[in-house]
Amino acid sequence: VGMYSCGPTVYADQHIGNMRAYVFADTLKRALGWKGFVVRHVINITDVGHLTSDADEGDDKLEVAARREHRNAWEIAEQYTRDFKADLERLRIIEPDVWCKATDHIGEMIRFAEVLDAGGWCYQLPSGLYFDTSKDRDYGKLARLDLAGQQAGARVEVVAGKRNARDFAVWRASAPGENRQMEWDSPWGRGAPGWHLECSVMSIEYLGPHFDIHTGGVDHIPVHHTNEIAQSEAYLADGRPWVRWWLHGEFINLRGAKISKSTGGGVLITDLIDRGYHPLVYRYLLLQAHYRSQTEFSWEAMDSARAGLRRLLDRFAAARSEPAGRLGAAAAEHLEAFDRAISDDLNTPRAIAAVVAASRDDRLTDGELTALAREFDAVLAIGVADLAPADLDLKRSDVAISEAEVKTLLAERNAARAARDFARSDQIRDHLASVGVTVEDQPGGVSTWRWT
Ligand code: AMP
Ligand code: ZN
C-alpha cells in the first residue's frame, strides 16, 4: 500500500487539532499493517509555498513567521519540524518511511511545471505561472465543485490577469523589489513553487505515478487536493485517476468551532502534558470518534477519556503478569468484533467498544487478555499493552492543577469573600497564582480566572 499524508506547514507550533490528522493517518496505517499489508508511508513537510490563505492570496506563511519572530525562515522551519516530530512520538505515531520537504525538491518541482507548461496547461503572468483550470474537464471532481454556480460571483481579480477564479499558481514569481528569504530561479522568474505542487511531485517521486491512499484534513478537499489532482492528471496524461482512494479527517472543535491558532484555541500536546495528561489520553479521546465525524475537545472530555482509559488499563495491566495465551472461543469473538469494526472504514469507536467489552468479560483468562491487548494496541496504540493506570497521570510539576480543582478553590474563595474573610480569600488567590492560575476580581464581585 502506497500512502501519502499531507504534512504540516512548519511556520508555527502544531496544535492538537492538527495532530488529529496524523493520529488518523497512523491508525489507518497500523490497521492496514495489522491486516497484513505492507505499507509505504510518506509525509511531507511544507517549508515553502503555503500562503496565508489556501488559495493564491497573502504571503508565504514561512516568510510571515520569519518577520514575526525576527528569525531566519530556514531556522523556523527546522525548529517547528523538530517540535512536530516530537509530538508524533508522544502520540505513538509511527514515523513514515519517507519524510520529504518541499525545499529539497525545488528542481523536481520546476521540471514537473515545465511538463505542464509544455503540455499547454498553463499561462504566464508577471506574478507567476498559473494552471488553467478551464482546460481540465474533470476539474473539481473530488470536491464535487459546482463550478458554473461558483464562477458567477467569484473573485477573479485577486491576482491580476487570472483567467478563472480557481486557476492556481504552479510557480509564484517574486514581486519586483520583494526580498524573500526562500526563492529560486526558474523559467518563470525568480520565486517559489505554488503550495500544491510539492505534494504532487513528492508523492509521485516516492510512491510512483499512481498510488493507493492519499490522506489529509477535510479542509484540503476544495482547494489543495482538488488542485493536486488537476495538475497530477495533467502531468501523467494517461487517462487514469491519479490516486485510488482519498481519505480525509474531520475537525476537532473547541466550543463548537474548529480548533485553530487564529481563534486562540492553539492548545498543544505539551499543554496537555503540563496539565498532567499522558498524551495517549488525547489519542484515546480522538479515537472515540470516527475520523469522518467532527468531535469536541474540552478539559472535561479529557478527564472522561482519562477515566475511561484508566478503567481499561486497570484490567489489562492486572492481566499482564500472565504471558500471552492462546485465544479461546470467547476471546476470539472479541477479536473478531474488533476486526469487523476496524475493517469497516476504520470504525475506531466501535473498535474501542470491543476492547471495553473484552475488558469486562470475566470468562477471559489473564493470558487471553494479554494476547488481546497486543492485538488491540497494534492498531489503536492507546497503551493497553504496556501502560499502567498510574502512567496516565503524569508526575505533576507543582504548577499543574486541574480545571475542576480550580473551580472548587474559586467557589471556596467566593464564599470566603462573601463572609468578608479576606485573609482566606487572599491565601487562595496566592495559592492559585503559585500553580499557574491568575484570578481577577471584576467590579460587582465577580471573579474571573485564566491560566497564566
Ligand atoms: P492549518 O495550520 O490550520 O492550515 O492546519 C493544517 C492542517 O491540520 C489542516 O489542513 C487540517 O487538515 C489539520 N487541522 C487543522 N485544524 C484542525 C482541527 N481543529 N481538527 C482537525 N484537523 C485540523
Ligand atoms: Zn498536500
Side-chain angles (χ1 to χ4, degrees):
V1 176
M3 176 167 155
Y4 184 88
S5 301
C6 280
T9 306
V10 285
Y11 69 107
D13 285 314
Q14 300 295 306
H15 54 67
I16 56 173
N18 301 128
M19 300 316 288
R20 187 178 188 199
Y22 309 107
V23 167
F24 154 55
D26 181 64
T27 309
L28 174 64
K29 164 177 153 182
R30 284 170 173 274
L32 291 167
W34 186 66
K35 299 291 289 182
F37 292 94
V38 177
V39 182
R40 178 168 165 84
H41 190 206
V42 179
I43 304 183
N44 68 299
I45 297 287
T46 300
D47 56 354
V48 72
H50 193 174
L51 304 192
T52 45
S53 92
D54 275 4
D56 294 319
E57 281 181 81
D59 206 349
D60 193 299
K61 289 188 179 194
L62 264 294
E63 302 279 339
V64 174
R67 285 199 294 272
R68 182 188 66 221
E69 300 187 17
H70 301 288
R71 286 165 70 198
N72 178 298
W74 298 91
E75 226 176 80
I76 289 177
E78 201 179 301
Q79 180 212 313
Y80 289 121
T81 301
R82 209 170 39 235
D83 293 350
F84 169 66
K85 290 183 179 177
D87 278 349
L88 293 189
E89 196 177 329
R90 292 177 176 121
L91 290 165
R92 297 198 176 176
I93 292 168
I94 301 170
E95 275 218 276
D97 302 277
V98 177
W99 281 116
C100 47
K101 61 178 185 177
T103 53
D104 284 342
H105 297 78
I106 302 294
E108 292 93 321
M109 286 194 253
I110 291 174
R111 281 194 287 285
F112 189 105
E114 280 175 329
V115 172
L116 294 180
D117 200 12
W121 293 96
C122 299
Y123 57 93
Q124 198 177 343
L125 296 176
S127 55
L129 184 70
Y130 288 82
F131 187 94
D132 186 343
T133 54
S134 69
K135 295 218 153 89
D136 177 6
R137 267 186 301 129
D138 285 340
Y139 185 79
K141 62 183 170 182
L142 177 76
R144 300 188 185 94
L145 295 179
D146 169 15
L147 292 179
Q150 286 192 349
Q151 291 291 11
R155 297 157 60 214
V156 187
E157 76 283 5
V158 169
V159 175
K162 237 163 81 159
R163 294 180 187 164
N164 311 287
R166 290 194 160 262
D167 291 356
F168 56 91
V170 174
W171 186 266
R172 289 212 324 137
S174 305
E178 183 183 355
N179 198 5
R180 292 176 54 106
Q181 294 188 12
M182 292 174 154
E183 57 177 4
W184 297 264
D185 289 320
S186 85
W188 316 281
R190 197 163 170 76
W195 172 36
H196 322 298
L197 190 56
E198 64 171 280
C199 289
S200 291
V201 169
M202 297 192 290
S203 60
I204 289 174
E205 174 163 341
Y206 294 108
L207 296 171
H210 297 278
F211 54 93
D212 301 294
I213 297 178
H214 197 312
T215 74
V218 283
D219 55 336
H220 287 144
I221 298 171
V223 179
H224 184 48
H225 288 169
T226 286
N227 292 345
E228 279 187 41
I229 291 172
Q231 67 194 3
S232 298
E233 294 185 355
Y235 172 86
L236 295 170
D238 58 5
R240 290 173 55 197
W242 172 43
V243 171
R244 297 180 77 182
W245 290 288
W246 291 86
L247 282 82
H248 293 96
E250 254 296 352
F251 288 143
I252 180 161
N253 296 328
L254 184 66
R255 291 183 286 274
K258 172 193 171 192
I259 293 183
S260 75
K261 247 201 148 47
S262 51
T263 57
V267 179
L268 312 181
I269 296 297
T270 46
D271 292 326
L272 306 183
I273 294 171
D274 286 345
R275 296 224 198 158
Y277 297 97
H278 192 290
L280 291 190
V281 170
Y282 182 61
R283 184 167 176 129
Y284 184 71
L285 181 150
L286 287 177
L287 296 181
Q288 283 175 324
H290 188 264
Y291 73 90
R292 285 190 288 106
S293 307
Q294 295 198 355
T295 186
E296 183 71 24
F297 176 84
S298 67
W299 296 105
E300 287 75 16
M302 282 295 288
D303 286 337
S304 16
R306 178 158 61 186
L309 185 53
R310 185 180 287 125
R311 278 193 296 277
L312 288 180
L313 296 185
D314 279 339
R315 184 67 194 98
F316 285 107
R320 228 171 273 148
S321 51
E322 279 297 313
R326 284 201 33 187
L327 300 188
E333 253 171 57
H334 290 297
L335 189 58
E336 269 165 40
F338 179 82
D339 190 351
R340 275 196 304 277
I342 282 301
S343 306
D344 180 9
D345 193 16
L346 205 65
N347 194 324
T348 54
R350 244 173 57 215
I352 288 176
V355 177
V356 171
S359 77
R360 289 184 182 157
D361 187 341
D362 50 22
R363 292 172 301 172
L364 304 192
T365 66
D366 284 358
E368 285 175 313
L369 278 169
T370 300
L372 282 176
R374 282 190 198 162
E375 303 283 340
F376 297 153
D377 239 13
V379 178
L380 301 176
I382 50 177
V384 288
D386 67 337
L387 289 187
D391 294 334
L392 297 184
D393 300 290
L394 296 182
K395 292 283 158 290
R396 292 211 171 164
S397 58
D398 291 331
V399 286
I401 183 168
S402 77
E403 202 155 325
E405 288 167 292
V406 173
K407 286 179 181 158
T408 308
L409 283 170
L410 280 180
E412 197 185 320
R413 179 167 179 271
N414 286 340
R417 288 202 326 148
R420 306 191 70 73
D421 181 355
F422 296 114
R424 175 69 188 139
S425 148
D426 287 349
Q427 190 186 23
I428 293 173
R429 176 153 79 177
D430 293 346
H431 170 67
L432 285 169
S434 75
V435 294
V437 174
T438 303
V439 180
E440 271 149 12
D441 295 325
Q442 310 294 343
V446 182
S447 306
T448 57
W449 69 277
R450 59 186 164 79
W451 301 107
T452 313

